[in-house]
Amino acid sequence: MRLWSCALGATALLLLGANPAPTDRFDTVVLDAGHGGEDYGARGGAGLLEKDLVLDITRALAKRLRAEGVEVVLTRADDTYVSLEKRTEIANRAGGDLFVSIHANASRAREARGIETYFLSLEASDDSARQLAQRENLAFRAVDHDARGSADPLLDVLGDLIATEHMVESDEFARLAESALSDPKGVRSRGVKQAPFVVLMGVQMPASLVEIGFITNSREEKTLSSKQRREEITNALARAILKFARRYDARRGVDPKHSVAAGGGG
């Protein structure tokens, strides 16, 4: 009886000229502004704080994507500290189709500059990636005194992400973001890398971490402080997300006219 009712309902929709809504299209992105509150993140020589920089860009990116019809969920919308567990909870509860964590880089080598994008791996792709993941992971530990689990977060929250399609799509988005962010003349790309970032573990969707520049490089800090460069970063990430959305929908057989990113993103 239930099957007959469902069939009748579908027939009625067709007779009325209505198409059933696609069940697995890209419609929600989770944006994660790194650090926050008492966790300042990296600090530039002129005083620029990572937590403020990435929050500003994340808010602007959310506004840009919402204008394109994408539903955006923020792990933090103001200057507050959000624990790793809470960030993961927010993302998974939202049922996001993509998780993007936005950060600014730091290095003892003051000449280090450029953008990097990451997706999850148990093994870091190089020593600098390993050190960066270690620094970001320790930031959570230092502030979140109530964090649960063993001393090794990899053993606690890795789950089955490595063995799923999310790894392939995480790699894909990281490459789209790297290409878009390094498009302006003079912006150095340091490539797409892999590292065991705790913030990317446990989220049940494709996930990538983006380092938008080195806040410890005096020239890059000055550039990142400018409205122009922040707008460039915002627009680049929006293009990458919308392009990923179109590919995501195409793989799942979603009619282009149902795609939230139809015609958007350049």
Side-chain angles (χ1 to χ4, degrees):
M1 185 67 175
R2 182 176 299 171
L3 290 174
W4 180 85
S5 298
C6 290
L8 181 60
T11 302
L13 284 172
L14 290 173
L15 290 173
L16 291 171
N19 294 319
T23 57
D24 188 24
R25 69 184 180 92
F26 186 103
D27 54 22
T28 304
V29 60
V30 180
L31 300 181
D32 176 57
H35 307 280
E38 59 187 296
D39 175 14
Y40 290 5
R43 183 195 297 265
L48 182 62
L49 299 179
E50 179 182 3
K51 67 168 186 171
D52 297 331
L53 169 63
V54 299
L55 179 61
D56 183 51
I57 288 173
T58 300
R59 284 171 167 171
L61 178 57
K63 182 177 180 180
R64 170 83 162 76
L65 291 172
R66 285 167 179 155
E68 295 285 348
V70 180
E71 181 178 347
V72 180
V73 174
L74 302 179
T75 59
R76 72 178 180 99
D78 53 27
D79 184 22
T80 56
Y81 175 77
V82 180
S83 70
L84 169 64
E85 182 181 38
K86 185 66 175 177
R87 291 173 196 250
T88 301
E89 177 188 338
I90 291 170
N92 291 337
R93 188 172 63 239
D97 301 304
L98 177 65
F99 178 89
V100 182
S101 190
I102 302 173
H103 292 255
N105 220 330
S107 175
R108 291 180 179 177
R110 300 298 178 180
E111 69 277 9
R113 65 182 179 87
I115 59 101
E116 296 175 337
T117 58
Y118 288 85
F119 64 103
L120 181 63
S121 172
L122 280 172
E123 297 294 333
S125 53
D126 56 40
D127 190 57
S128 65
R130 180 188 60 77
Q131 291 179 16
L132 177 61
Q134 184 179 50
R135 185 170 67 246
E136 295 288 359
N137 295 344
L138 287 174
F140 281 112
R141 294 258 189 94
V143 178
D144 190 3
H145 306 297
D146 296 324
R148 297 178 296 177
S150 71
D152 186 354
L154 298 179
L155 300 179
D156 294 326
V157 295
L158 182 59
D160 62 356
L161 181 62
I162 295 293
T164 70
E165 65 178 318
H166 296 328
M167 286 296 295
V168 175
E169 291 187 321
S170 297
D171 180 6
E172 178 184 18
F173 176 74
R175 295 181 189 282
L176 289 173
E178 181 272 337
S179 177
L181 285 166
S182 60
D183 184 49
K185 185 176 180 181
V187 176
R188 180 188 178 191
S189 170
R190 296 168 62 92
V192 177
K193 303 182 180 183
Q194 293 176 267
F197 287 100
V198 176
V199 74
L200 299 183
M201 301 177 188
V203 290
Q204 298 164 5
M205 65 202 72
S208 179
L209 185 143
V210 178
E211 296 281 355
I212 59 174
F214 280 79
I215 206 169
T216 48
N217 179 297
S218 59
R219 181 176 297 179
E220 204 150 74
E221 178 188 13
K222 183 177 180 180
T223 301
L224 289 168
S225 297
S226 71
K227 180 179 178 181
Q228 178 182 347
R229 180 56 185 151
R230 293 188 188 195
E231 288 180 348
E232 288 175 351
I233 292 170
T234 297
N235 291 332
L237 288 174
R239 288 196 304 273
I241 290 169
L242 292 170
K243 189 170 186 177
F244 176 83
R246 291 194 294 273
R247 291 185 178 185
Y248 179 102
D249 286 347
R251 278 192 294 271
R252 289 159 177 80
V254 176
D255 188 323
K257 67 184 179 182
H258 288 304
S259 177
V260 74

